[in-house]
Amino acid sequence: MSCRMVRLVCCLWIAALAAAPAHARSLGARISKVTTPVAMLQDVRVRLDWPASAPQGALRLRAARVDAPDLGYHFRDVDWQCPLQRDGQGGWRCDGTLHGDGAPVHLSLNLGAASADARLSRGAGMLSLHRDAASPDRTDIDLVRVPLAWAQALLASAWAEGRITGGTLDGQLAIASSHSQPVRVTGPLKVAGAAFDTPDGTIAAENLGAELALDLSFGDRDRAVVAGRLHGGELLFGNAYVSLDQHAVDLRMDAAKQDGQGWRLPAFAWRDRGILEAQGSAAFTPAGNLDALDLQLRSADLAPLRDAYLSGWLGIAGLSQLQFSGATDASLHLAAGVVRDFTLTLHDTTVVDPGQRFGFTRLEGDLAFSSGAPVQSALQWQGGQLYGLAFGAARLPFVSDDGKLRFRESVAVPMLGGQLRFDHFTLRPPADGQGLDIRFGLTLRELDVGQLAKALDWPAFTGDLNGEIPQAHYAAERLDFDGGLRMQVFDGDVAVSSLSMERPFGVAPTLSADIALDDLDLEALTGVFGFGSITGRLDGSLNALRMVDWQPVAFDATLRTQRKPGVKQRISQRAVQDLSSVGDASFATSLQSQLIGLFDDFGYSRIGISCRLADDVCSMDGLGSAGQGFIIVAGSGLPRLTVVGFNRRVDWPTLVERLGAIGKGDVKPVVE
């Protein structure tokens, strides 16, 4: 029950009492409609029973409907009963329980000769109202631990989707009302433990504290001026999560709303000292969606900005642990719900990803976006890393128009002793129901495979990495590459094609690719991997490779030796043992197992092994069938060696463990 309702009850009660003769035992009145500047009552019934010579009477007031549209309150079947008594000073008092649409509350009423006081209470919460005959258009209200939920109807008049779920109010408010002026509410207000949300959960608050000064008016044109300080609590607006973490934020907001239109904020300001300062103006549609925004931001210290303001967006991108230092300024202009212009200025900024997916050192410069006329900007950095691979200083010259951001010219980035060059780059931010879209071309020139292997903790490869990707496209958290990469390693070629990535910087990134091996020197390859020595040339493929969080989960791999004129094909005793370990293999005859210990190496005509990985199981095969098994090594010359595998289904983690043991030299020759 609102304070406005209390005032109306008082007026009706005074009218009924004034009409009653002093000796009457009972008095009744029925009024079809009572209209005030604040509310309208319909079907009002008042009854006063006062037995002769009794010290008190019984008052009952009922109303079928009470409507205060400016405040958003609408009640049905209001009923209040109380014992009516004189106060000994020419006034009256009455205390009783008030019933209506919600839970009952206690209403205490004191009507003096020149003033009226009322008090609503429920539990520890109390709302006190005072009116003075000398100023009939003013009502003073004191709030003591009043449940914030009592203001639900008032909130709904300005924000239909908002639902108050917790919190209390303390304060002193003055309400001015007359037939010729809108209702005006002013005064200080203290909020503790405030909580609210919306049915879809996109806007919410928990444990929010505030000390505010209010100036609200309700009529044909609603207006609100709110100034004060927030302290503690958490806020959620879509993907924006704000944690005040017991620190204070100064704020001010001017807002206005015409009938049939959305709210407009001619000015607002937010000052979180040392972390973020914001100011600007905004406008909302009648449905409550953001329509226009002019915003200026400044952060003098980016380090605390992540936990206070950015964790929601970063969490969605899988970058919740990203670390920042430096400072930034930004401005944003939005119209008709679409970003029109945006400028970001970075000052000595460093970005560090603890997961080593990427990082930048000493970012400086401007990044400007425009949906209209062209605007130029440039960013530069001193260095950085991408998945542990260091890169050098670079400058990025931008131009933006027509809602896109692109490079004005190609950009070369020193990396791994060579060069990574962006031949073109275009970015389109989310708009018109479409998400972020990035397209670029990439050229790799003479990247040192040795440095790459060391950075990724691979075996000590040597060679060069080159390649050209004419077009790469990122959209819907997926990165697809046209073209391919080529490495010259082990005196042969390794080609990567059909390359794509999902969530490249997010949670559980996924990579897909096809890899082809051509004419690799087996002696150099087996030496690097710590495998037993094999001479010859190797071809192969690793098709339909799929890695999740950089661990293989599927592929179809085949490795085959290729006979070359003048190239010896020999396999060492240890290599035989290593291949046997990988393929759960044995020798074709017992004579072979007896002879293997007598020779250091053997001639072979072909070597072949394949693995199709799915569901953590590797389906093995080789050069062809040999009874229930498959041939891995087909011998040549004397002694003629043939190695046959018998286990066609090998547990993938077990196979990885065996390969690791081979690389460490833990597999020892066994002579049977």
Side-chain angles (χ1 to χ4, degrees), residues 243-244 247 271-277 298-306 308-309 328:
S243 174
L244 299 182
H247 60 271
R271 188 178 184 188
D272 191 349
R273 298 174 186 271
I275 300 178
L276 180 66
E277 296 182 17
R298 173 164 177 76
S299 176
D301 184 1
L302 290 173
L305 194 67
R306 181 199 68 188
Y309 294 94
T328 187

